[in-house]
Amino acid sequence: SYEKELLEHLISLPIKEKKKIYFLNHLSRVQVILGDYKNSNQIIEELLKNELSKQIKNQLLFREADCLVKLGLINEAILIYENLLSSGELNEDKLLLAIASAETYINKFESAKKKCYDLLKRRKLEKEIKAKTYNILGIIESEASNFENAIMHFQKAYGYFQNLNDLFNSVKTLTNLGNINNILLNKEKAFIYWEKALKISREQGILEEETLVLLNYGIANYESSDFKASEKSIITGAKNLLKQPEFDDQEHFESIIELIEDKDIIIHIMDIASFTKKKDATIVIGDENKDKKLGSYSMIAKEYKFGDAAGTLSIIGPKRMHYSKAVAAVIYMAEQLSKQIKRRNINERKN
């Protein structure tokens, strides 16, 4: 955040065009790290209008495609990746991995799977690409409910991520392994994986992953009717969210607690979620909220349902939140809740 402000200040100064392009390029990278894909993409589009070296231009195009994936414009992103691939001017392995990853977003699992296995046949494949390839295969097999294969791939990915000391992706893979074992009703194994993920998240300050793991704990305990443990997990997750710097101020801290306890706000969230499309989440940022109490925050909401049973899952947080991750988390959790309602409904009918 500080680096972003510094770069924005430097760009506002009367500097030479060459330096301005350099700072804008760096700013777009920083915005990607902060999850601000929309503004990063806008800067890239402006930069591409300038006379640039082939290397810089290709790097920008690759970053633009990454941003488009995060913004949900998958087909446009794939087209850019494929054009870069045909040019032969960027790393082919990296581009194939990017295309395979993008294809999983639009359910082109067979095409993505083929690219992954083609990559794994290559002798000099970088460890990072190999790790991410196994991770994509784990996601593909999970979607196909081939959970044993998914576990195998995620375990291989985790091994490589550990070897690379990539703690962020290690945590995500451990969480995935816990989720699959939970689906398979291997609660003990699921909790072991989640506990490892939780430990690394807390040590490294990976707050979003820590909160996601705690929410998974809450749902798993709820499923096993351990309501006391479930309540503790979810409340702990909420407390972790309050560690964000926005809530250092006592007034902001009290306002978010008031929001959580305000029934009118909850009803408002449920109302806007009811208008969302089947697979989408609603995103409302700052002043876009009709309720003034939400003016300083962003909200992401998604309806979950099966038959007549329905509810709303939402995230309320600072406007600078990592939107792509938050949206993915809300959609995932809503889908999981829908599946659990469906499973219980089927079990009740059988009984």
Side-chain angles (χ1 to χ4, degrees), residues 90-261:
L90 277 182
N91 185 295
E92 184 179 324
D93 296 343
K94 191 176 179 180
L95 284 164
L96 282 172
L97 178 70
I99 295 168
S101 178
E103 285 178 336
T104 62
Y105 284 87
I106 51 175
N107 300 329
K108 289 188 175 181
F109 297 121
E110 286 305 313
S111 178
K113 192 173 182 178
K114 185 180 182 303
K115 287 181 180 67
C116 286
Y117 280 118
D118 286 344
L119 279 169
L120 291 172
K121 289 175 185 176
R122 303 187 178 198
R123 290 182 181 180
K124 295 183 180 180
L125 192 66
E126 292 177 16
K127 285 183 180 179
E128 183 183 358
I129 293 176
K130 193 175 283 188
K132 290 180 178 179
T133 301
Y134 277 121
N135 193 61
I136 291 170
L137 285 170
I139 292 166
I140 292 168
E141 295 294 358
S142 297
E143 289 293 331
S145 299
N146 297 325
F147 296 121
E148 295 302 327
N149 286 340
I151 287 171
M152 178 184 70
H153 292 310
F154 281 133
Q155 284 175 336
K156 286 182 179 179
Y158 175 62
Y160 281 109
F161 285 135
Q162 267 199 314
N163 188 259
L164 292 162
N165 200 31
D166 185 342
L167 297 175
F168 180 74
N169 280 309
S170 293
V171 167
K172 291 175 72 175
T173 309
L174 285 167
T175 305
N176 287 336
L177 284 163
N179 294 345
I180 293 172
N181 277 284
N182 185 48
I183 290 167
L184 294 172
L185 303 180
N186 297 327
K187 301 284 184 184
E188 191 175 335
K189 279 188 178 180
F191 284 13
I192 289 169
Y193 283 121
W194 286 339
E195 191 60 40
K196 284 182 182 178
L198 202 56
K199 185 175 183 292
I200 298 170
S201 295
R202 284 173 172 167
E203 288 173 352
Q204 301 299 317
I206 310 171
L207 191 61
E208 287 167 288
E209 291 299 321
E210 180 184 349
T211 302
L212 186 59
V213 173
L214 287 166
L215 288 170
N216 286 345
Y217 265 121
I219 290 172
N221 285 317
Y222 181 83
E223 289 168 3
S224 59
S225 300
D226 191 350
F227 301 117
K228 189 174 181 180
S230 173
E231 183 181 345
K232 182 181 177 183
S233 294
I234 293 172
I235 289 171
T236 305
K239 285 180 179 176
N240 284 328
L241 289 174
L242 294 174
K243 291 177 185 175
Q244 297 284 358
E246 283 83 357
F247 306 120
D248 287 343
D249 181 86
Q250 182 67 23
E251 188 177 336
H252 281 123
F253 180 86
E254 289 174 357
S255 69
I256 194 66
I257 295 298
E258 185 183 342
L259 283 173
I260 292 167
E261 293 178 347

Side-chain angles (χ1 to χ4, degrees), residues 17-18 187 200 292:
E17 192 65 21
K18 193 174 180 180
K187 301 284 184 184
I200 298 170
K292 289 182 181 179

